[in-house]
Amino acid sequence: MDRRTVITGTGRYLPPRVVTNQELEKRMDTSDEWIRQRSGIVTRHHVEAGVGSSDLAVEAARRAIQDAGVDPSTIDFIVAATLSPDYYFPGIGVLVQAKLGLGTIGALDVRDQCSGFIYALAAADQFIRTGTYRRILLVAAEVQSTNLDFSDSGRDMAVLFGDGAGAVILEPNDSGDGRGVLSTHLFADGHFAPQLWMEKPSCADKPTFRQEFFDQGRFFPRMDGRHVFVNACERMPEAVRAGLERNGLAVEDIDALIPHQANDRISQMVAKGLKIPVERVIRNIDRYGNTTAASIPIALDEAVREGRIRRGHLVALTAFGSGYTWASAFIRW
Ligand SMILES: CC(C)(COP(=O)(O)OP(=O)(O)OC[C@H]1O[C@@H](n2cnc3c(N)ncnc32)[C@H](O)[C@@H]1OP(=O)(O)O)[C@@H](O)C(=O)NCCC(=O)NCCS
């Protein structure tokens, strides 16, 4: 099949409130120096009360729609990725649809955490290439700041995560010029779910919401940071190599690599593992922290607008996160 899926517009939205490391120092036993050294993060954005992931998603989507120059009424499907939906159910896809006034088009929610954007892109790519849909809004959005443990026992996670959203518009390219998504590669290993998860609320608990779980802090996300770190450094390069092999390409062919922005040390290890010059790796975690599913589309939008990604470039995306899930995607821009 000659048809390929092209990204015709990108957008990002970060809530206005910037939270510095110094502000976090006042809330828990941490330091600006520790956070910078161990993660590369300097600031992140936090929402004000009353703002949900769907609100951030809508703003990012508006920007992507404007960038693509399309009439919103011509969008025929939504794919939305988040680990922090406004509600336990429904997901944010339907909320985005309603808030943007997109009629009754279908809305698919993807739950693959930090790999969510690439999983969602893989799904959307199939719909476009088969001709099922012709203009898809793919949006990823996260609000993490409202449910982080800002006490000393949660400081490993609380300093890393931020809120934000990124979106793209996807359309078919039948011209045969080679532009578009070349391939996507999805992996998972559910044995490691407890290494990075939000354990509660769980439908297996009867009743689900119990005071003792709140008292034990089990409604907060938790992780085994070391384990995540080591696996992220191995799995992201592996996923990129799978894509290079599939497409008969070499590392030198990659013009821009966008790794999920989990920790700047992880991004540097991924670059080292792949032997790709670090200048070709897009890194913005210093300003936004880890925005899980939204981190790749935020970085993509920024890189495109800054001219670091241009027509004809080979762009590689890779992610790793809770599940574990990991993935890569290759795009001829
Ligand atoms: C969390 C992470 C930054 C910790 O960095 P690290 O160099 O591995 O640090 P360690 O886990 O060895 O912890 C070192 C010390 O710093 C402490 N520490 C943890 N968070 C801290 C914080 N915010 N401020 C100050 N000290 C902190 C630890 O308690 C530990 O203290 P101890 O030696 O007295 O036990 C790192 O493991 C990481 O980034 N992991 C991956 C996280 C991630 O990306 N998650 C999402 C994936 S999508």
Side-chain angles (χ1 to χ4, degrees), residues 28-31 34-35 38-39 114 155-157 159-161 196 223-229 232 260 262-263 265-266 290 292 320-322:
M28 68 193 97
D29 181 16
T30 190
S31 69
W34 191 97
I35 300 169
R38 303 293 179 112
S39 72
C114 299
R155 63 184 180 170
D156 58 338
M157 293 199 88
V159 301
L160 295 182
F161 291 90
L196 178 54
M223 69 175 176
D224 176 344
R226 276 280 165 92
H227 202 268
V228 174
F229 192 99
H260 162 53
N263 177 328
R265 278 162 58 221
I266 294 177
N290 178 345
T292 49
F320 177 87
S322 165

Side-chain angles (χ1 to χ4, degrees), residues 4-8 68 70 128 134-135 169-173:
R4 282 196 177 151
T5 305
V6 281
I7 294 176
T8 56
V70 299
I128 295 272
R134 294 192 61 79
R135 189 163 280 162
I169 301 295
L170 302 167
E171 300 182 53
N173 171 16

